[in-house]
Amino acid sequence: MKTKTNLLHVCLVFCVISTLQARTWTEAQTGRTMEGEFVKVLDNAVVIRSANGSTVQLPLARLSEADQTFVKEQAEAAPKATAAKADEKSAGKDDVKKQLLGTWDGYMADSDGSRHGDIRLEITEEKITASNPRGNSVMGAGTYRISGKRIDATGTEGQFAGKKYEGIFDLDSKTLKWCSANDNPNSNRPSKLQTNTQAGQFLMVLEKK
């Protein structure tokens, strides 16, 4: 039993070591070395993670010139990586917004998903206009903002003027499902794409024209 435990321990150690992008760090004055993975720069020190998962801070001034150069390169690369991720996230958001642009015809759904009433949405870069497609009468308009799968609208015209609607949406090809909460202190952002009259949440199901 003890032998099996020791073997398991050795396997775990090798697994940990294999996942680390370790390098050899050298103390300039003494020449002493240690193996560890670069984590981050903290003030005038570098944080290193060893194979057993523990971290240690080493003053930059005590490290070799090669180590200091490596740390400087990592520190300079970090903001670029963060900016790249931000650009990627922004690009994804822009792609979703582009898919939302256009005219959408559909209906307000009852709690069982059945059709309750017709509605048309005209979505531009800055504005959403709601109307009755049969009578072509404008019901109202407002601005909107998307974040992930959330969509929040603020009425600027018609019966929705001054009201705020927190919602969630799902966009699949040419089908848009948008569930929003009423402008009501007792109504919270929906967690499901489903009409819930008691919670003041309503679902729209729309197809792009």
Side-chain angles (χ1 to χ4, degrees):
M1 185 68 180
K2 184 176 181 181
T3 302
K4 290 183 179 180
T5 303
N6 289 339
L7 286 173
L8 178 61
H9 176 73
V10 170
C11 288
L12 288 173
V13 169
F14 275 108
C15 287
V16 171
I17 291 174
S18 65
T19 59
L20 291 176
Q21 296 179 346
R23 63 177 273 114
T24 302
W25 302 84
T26 305
E27 193 174 48
Q29 289 186 347
T30 65
R32 288 185 299 184
T33 63
M34 73 166 289
E35 295 290 322
E37 175 191 20
F38 171 83
V39 177
K40 62 181 177 179
V41 179
L42 188 63
D43 296 327
N44 295 317
V46 58
V47 179
I48 298 170
R49 181 181 292 112
S50 62
N52 64 10
S54 63
T55 57
V56 61
Q57 294 183 33
L58 297 179
L60 288 172
R62 289 170 52 185
L63 295 176
S64 67
E65 185 177 343
D67 287 339
Q68 292 187 39
T69 300
F70 173 80
V71 171
K72 182 179 179 181
E73 291 173 349
Q74 297 302 307
E76 290 175 348
K80 294 179 182 178
T82 301
K85 289 182 180 179
D87 289 342
E88 183 179 342
K89 184 177 180 180
S90 178
K93 180 179 177 180
D94 290 341
D95 288 342
V96 173
K97 193 165 185 177
K98 286 179 181 177
Q99 294 178 55
L100 285 173
L101 304 182
T103 301
W104 299 82
D105 278 355
Y107 60 92
M108 307 290 294
D110 279 329
S111 55
D112 61 359
S114 60
R115 195 183 195 103
H116 178 71
D118 297 326
I119 190 169
R120 170 176 293 165
L121 297 182
E122 296 276 355
I123 304 179
T124 66
E125 286 279 358
E126 305 294 338
K127 183 179 179 182
I128 296 178
T129 302
S131 61
N132 185 331
R134 295 190 177 185
N136 203 29
S137 57
V138 175
M139 300 162 62
T143 58
Y144 70 102
R145 180 173 58 87
I146 60 173
S147 177
K149 287 294 185 178
R150 294 184 173 190
I151 180 168
D152 297 332
T154 302
T156 57
E157 302 174 25
Q159 59 181 307
F160 306 124
K163 296 183 178 181
K164 298 183 183 296
Y165 300 87
E166 295 183 341
I168 57 175
F169 74 98
D170 181 68
L171 183 59
D172 180 16
S173 185
K174 291 188 176 182
T175 301
L176 171 62
K177 294 182 179 180
W178 177 1
C179 191
S180 180
N182 282 321
D183 183 49
N184 186 316
N186 299 320
S187 184
N188 299 316
R189 186 189 304 275
S191 59
K192 298 180 180 179
L193 292 163
Q194 183 178 11
T195 291
N196 184 337
T197 54
Q198 293 183 337
Q201 301 165 352
F202 58 90
L203 172 66
M204 293 177 283
V205 181
L206 308 123
E207 297 290 329
K208 197 168 191 177
K209 293 185 65 177

